[in-house]
Amino acid sequence: MFEQWHFQVAPYTEFPCRENDLCLLFNPAGELLPAAEDHGLIHFCGYGNYAGQQPHDAAFLGYWEGKRCYAVTLTEQDCETRKFSSLREILAQQDAELSCLACMGKQLLDWRQHTRYCSACGGLLQEKTAERARLCPACGQLYYPRISPAVIVAVHRDEKILLAHNVNFAPGVYSLVAGYVEAGESLEQAVAREVQEEVGLHIRAIRYWGSQAWPFPSTLMVGFEADYDSGSIRPDGQEISEADWYALDQLPSLPRPGSISRRIIDSLCARQ
Ligand SMILES: [Zn+2]
């Protein structure tokens, strides 16, 4: 899949963004401005057409068909009359390549916005040359974009899968069990622990499915499948209020397309 992509991630360079460079345009809240020409996300005419003043920030992403491509945050003033869309909505509609680019842009702009001062000495950080990092010139501390790994798992039992309702979900929506990886844990240990903690089950045969960036704000979701081993479902009552086994042809309401949870469930249905 990746070899046919237009986009290529590049090592960090110090090229400043010019007003006619290809870009994805964000508002300060992290929402995206769809491109009017083709309803895609890339503005081929650059930010110059949309900005009356210098943008708030710009992050170099890589190359789109050989041309430099940036994520740009416009100022509040330049955003006023335009209709931006939430990234979650966009992920539900766009193809994998543009979704990936949008996630990368959102995550890097967030990181730049929240990584301006050294947490060790309070010094103002500078861009590091030759890699995507920020450097404290006073004490030498380096800051890289933060990525927080989380696991998500489809647990199989006979012909059914385990789905759970998280208390933060919309009413009636069920998804796969998921959670953040603890420091010092392997991904597989995190999968087993989350299932045990959230629904009280033991699982086995944990196997990798795939992964997806989820920039809300900096998660890398790592997907797995596993088989039921023992125990009966006991929702923890904190995060998970209900959970049950569902046949793939009798599923409840699911998370919207674009999420890895939905991609895993859709792939299991397609495999049947
Ligand atoms: Zn410092």
Side-chain angles (χ1 to χ4, degrees):
M1 177 169 78
F2 299 106
E3 58 271 20
Q4 287 156 13
W5 281 21
H6 306 274
F7 179 71
Q8 192 182 11
V9 179
Y12 177 75
T13 61
E14 290 207 308
F15 301 125
C17 180
R18 298 163 306 191
E19 61 179 32
N20 57 352
D21 280 329
L22 307 189
C23 61
L24 280 76
L25 295 177
F26 290 82
N27 66 14
E31 296 172 318
L32 263 163
L33 184 67
E37 305 86 57
D38 58 356
H39 304 289
L41 299 179
I42 296 184
H43 296 260
F44 289 95
C45 53
Y47 74 79
N49 263 27
Y50 303 87
Q53 47 192 310
Q54 273 296 306
H56 188 67
D57 195 14
F60 177 61
L61 302 181
Y63 294 91
W64 182 274
E65 293 182 335
K67 297 199 176 88
R68 297 205 294 259
C69 185
Y70 293 80
V72 172
T73 306
L74 296 176
T75 61
E76 293 277 7
Q77 205 177 329
D78 282 328
C79 295
E80 265 169 12
T81 56
R82 302 203 159 87
K83 174 93 175 69
F84 288 76
S85 302
S86 86
L87 187 54
R88 287 173 201 268
E89 265 172 49
I90 281 169
L91 294 181
Q93 295 160 9
Q94 290 291 342
D95 66 30
E97 183 174 22
L98 282 172
S99 292
C100 178
L101 204 58
C103 289
M104 186 182 184
K106 165 89 160 49
Q107 197 159 336
L108 286 176
L109 288 171
D110 273 351
W111 171 69
R112 292 169 64 87
Q113 186 185 348
H114 294 108
T115 314
R116 293 187 294 156
Y117 296 94
C118 177
S119 59
C121 78
L124 185 63
L125 302 179
Q126 294 177 350
E127 303 296 335
K128 185 164 187 305
T129 49
E131 64 177 339
R132 203 188 301 278
R134 285 184 162 177
L135 171 71
C136 176
C139 76
Q141 185 75 34
L142 266 177
Y143 295 85
Y144 292 93
R146 186 185 59 186
I147 298 171
S148 307
V151 292
I152 183 163
V153 59
V155 181
H156 298 268
R157 184 178 191 181
D158 302 323
E159 299 301 308
K160 295 182 172 179
I161 57 166
L162 177 69
L163 293 175
H165 177 76
N166 187 297
V167 294
N168 297 315
F169 289 172
V173 172
Y174 285 72
S175 184
L176 304 175
V177 169
Y180 281 98
V181 179
E182 299 276 356
E185 234 178 7
S186 71
L187 296 171
E188 293 82 355
Q189 285 171 326
V191 170
R193 176 184 52 74
E194 285 291 341
V195 173
Q196 211 278 320
E197 281 177 5
E198 293 193 353
V199 292
L201 298 179
H202 294 283
I203 55 173
R204 59 185 163 79
I206 297 168
R207 49 212 185 263
Y208 179 69
W209 183 87
S211 64
Q212 179 179 325
W214 194 243
F216 305 102
S218 57
T219 304
L220 174 64
M221 297 294 305
V222 188
F224 291 87
E225 291 180 68
D227 296 331
Y228 167 81
D229 184 69
S230 61
S232 48
I233 293 175
R234 268 186 301 102
D236 66 4
Q238 303 287 314
E239 274 189 70
I240 301 298
S241 57
E242 293 169 66
D244 209 344
W245 302 104
Y246 287 88
L248 289 168
D249 57 0
Q250 289 182 314
L251 294 172
S253 295
L254 299 172
R256 68 168 91 186
S259 60
I260 190 171
S261 169
R262 183 60 180 270
R263 287 174 54 216
I264 294 174
I265 296 168
D266 286 351
S267 80
L268 299 179
C269 292
R271 201 197 285 168
Q272 264 201 320

